Amino acid sequence: YFAEWEKQASTIQDPDLKEAANERRTRLAKAIEDVSAAMAAARAEIAPFVTKIQDVQTYLSNDLTPAGIESVEGKSKEVSKGAKSIGDELDDVVEALEEHAPEFKTAKPPPPPAK
């Protein structure tokens, strides 16, 4: 997208418009980079978290006795901490999205005049 934008912007003759196009493209690229970075942090925690949950579920599906449940207490606490950590990371993603959403908002025509 940005490569095509740059290619098309290079054909603009007016220096002010060309500069505006470059500045706008740079701001949008930065916005996408910020959101992507926040997502990468969350994504890095999600895969091991899901694996751990699946392992606990498999373990308990084979041993749902009081002793079996007690034996996964430590892993359950790890899963709980992991869920909170992922929630915090996703909060960062939401913040990044909210911060940069105006950059991507499309223009809407004004409402028609009242009759």
Side-chain angles (χ1 to χ4, degrees):
Y1 175 72
F2 290 111
E4 183 61 27
W5 187 340
E6 186 173 4
K7 179 179 168 187
Q8 289 184 17
S10 71
T11 66
I12 297 173
Q13 299 299 311
D14 184 291
D16 294 334
L17 287 176
K18 185 177 271 195
E19 181 180 348
N22 289 333
E23 288 173 3
R24 180 79 177 122
R25 186 182 67 248
T26 299
R27 282 196 320 270
L28 288 177
K30 171 81 168 86
I32 289 175
E33 184 180 306
D34 290 350
V35 172
S36 294
M39 281 297 302
R43 191 178 304 117
E45 288 192 38
I46 290 173
F49 175 78
V50 169
T51 299
K52 192 171 289 189
I53 288 176
Q54 290 171 333
D55 287 348
V56 169
Q57 179 185 15
T58 300
Y59 181 93
L60 290 174
S61 71
N62 290 310
D63 186 4
L64 200 51
T65 64
I69 293 170
E70 186 178 323
S71 68
V72 295
E73 180 180 359
K75 292 295 179 187
S76 294
K77 288 179 181 178
E78 287 178 30
V79 166
S80 180
K81 286 179 186 175
K84 179 173 179 349
S85 179
I86 290 170
D88 292 343
E89 294 292 345
L90 291 174
D91 287 345
D92 292 345
V93 172
V94 170
E95 285 178 26
L97 287 168
E98 288 174 344
E99 177 184 346
H100 296 295
E103 292 287 341
F104 295 95
K105 188 174 183 178
T106 57
K108 295 181 182 177
K115 291 185 182 184

